Amino acid sequence: HSFIITEELAPTISLEDFAAYWLEQPPAPTLKRALIAEVAQMAGTMHRAGVNHRDFYICHFLLHTDKPVTADDFRLSLIDLHRAQTRAATPRRWRNKDLAGLYFSALNIGLTRRDKLRFLCGYFQRPLREVLADEAALLSWLESKAERLQIRYERRYAPGAQE
């Protein structure tokens, strides 16, 4: 048995809730790019440090709202680390599962292809050409995995679906 005590993360809003209306009311492009860059940096740093989350969705990123959120001034916190695993290096399988969960959770918030490419550059910290060449198999797998997760989610939570 264990427990953890942290500072209170309030007031905050999950990135999922913050982005919920981006399709109808897109954010300022500079803010969207800054948030994507920060999520990419946090995810990449976490994985390079040997940590995988195991429940890695945008709802677990909390955007602090104690002051106005701008592209130049915001703070994100990652929560629900109770299932996280730590090792000397994150196994590719667990890294990929984290990335698939993150991608799935962001499917319907209005990200463009360019937004996704920006994330990849920030996450891998390499030029886009290298990422696309070196990680082609991963990117293909992420697309199919996210699609399968979306189908399963719709089947489970569609109106009239059985619990």
Side-chain angles (χ1 to χ4, degrees), residues 124-141:
F124 286 105
Q125 296 184 332
R126 296 192 323 233
L128 183 58
R129 285 181 198 259
E130 283 182 29
V131 173
L132 294 177
D134 296 346
E135 304 295 340
L138 168 65
L139 302 179
S140 176
W141 180 84

Side-chain angles (χ1 to χ4, degrees), residues 34-54:
L35 289 168
I36 290 167
E38 183 67 10
V39 170
Q41 186 273 329
M42 290 172 73
T45 300
M46 179 181 78
H47 288 151
R48 285 187 292 279
V51 178
N52 62 284
H53 193 281
R54 297 180 63 198

Side-chain angles (χ1 to χ4, degrees), residues 145-156:
K145 180 67 173 175
E147 187 177 305
R148 288 192 310 271
L149 288 169
Q150 184 68 33
I151 290 167
R152 190 168 74 197
Y153 176 84
E154 289 171 0
R155 198 176 309 135
R156 178 177 282 163

